Amino acid sequence: MNLIEIIFSVVIGACLVIIIGGRIVLQIVTKYYEKNPDAASPKCKKCKIRMTAGEGTLYLIPAMFDMQHEESAEYYLNNTKRIYDESQIPKGQRACRMFVFRCPQCDEKVVSVVDFLQNSENGMICGGDIYPYEKFRDFLSS
């Protein structure tokens, strides 16, 4: 083996270790936050204290596997379809869970959208963000 082949092998090996390690860490963090949504709760912009999470609601996203889509309140409001159980998520299709967080002190609310891909073992987080509750009020109440 020449020097270039050795360097190439080391780089490929390092990349594989980083990718596998990253997936393991992501799955551990995902499981923790699914079981403890308040641990990832945002802080109230007014009171600066942690908000508490309400029940999450499931929605299908019209995207498969690693397809990219626009991550915006408008996208989720116009393109998601409510479902009632994870068994309703077709294999390989993306879904999201929307949580309403409320400040226990001033009653301020925000919506957290967690976009994930359901696979055979568990969900893998693909994206998401926090949006003003006012944009989602009618959507979530219907």
Side-chain angles (χ1 to χ4, degrees), residues 29 51 65 70 82 86 90 106 113:
V29 169
M51 302 175 98
F65 299 106
E70 177 185 343
R82 183 165 185 183
E86 287 186 6
C106 73
V113 178

Side-chain angles (χ1 to χ4, degrees), residues 41-78:
S41 67
K43 286 188 176 182
C44 177
K45 291 184 191 258
K46 294 177 184 176
C47 303
K48 308 297 184 210
I49 62 173
R50 292 258 176 224
M51 302 175 98
T52 56
E55 275 298 307
T57 307
L58 280 171
Y59 294 90
L60 280 179
I61 296 173
M64 302 292 285
F65 299 106
D66 289 335
M67 285 175 54
Q68 296 299 313
H69 65 80
E70 177 185 343
E71 288 189 30
S72 69
E74 291 73 23
Y75 177 84
Y76 293 115
L77 292 169
N78 294 319

Side-chain angles (χ1 to χ4, degrees), residues 42-46 51-57 59 72-74 76-77 98-103 106-113 129-142:
K43 286 188 176 182
C44 177
K45 291 184 191 258
K46 294 177 184 176
M51 302 175 98
T52 56
E55 275 298 307
T57 307
Y59 294 90
S72 69
E74 291 73 23
Y76 293 115
L77 292 169
M98 295 184 191
F99 295 94
V100 176
F101 284 88
R102 184 186 69 77
C103 176
C106 73
D107 210 36
E108 180 74 17
K109 293 179 183 176
V110 295
V111 174
S112 171
V113 178
D129 209 345
I130 295 175
Y131 303 99
Y133 176 75
E134 293 74 32
K135 288 188 176 188
F136 287 84
R137 180 179 317 173
D138 294 337
F139 180 77
L140 292 172
S141 64
S142 59

Side-chain angles (χ1 to χ4, degrees), residues 70-98:
E70 177 185 343
E71 288 189 30
S72 69
E74 291 73 23
Y75 177 84
Y76 293 115
L77 292 169
N78 294 319
N79 293 287
T80 57
K81 177 185 170 198
R82 183 165 185 183
I83 57 174
Y84 297 93
D85 188 84
E86 287 186 6
S87 66
Q88 294 178 292
I89 304 172
K91 189 172 183 172
Q93 184 160 353
R94 302 263 291 270
C96 67
R97 192 178 303 271
M98 295 184 191

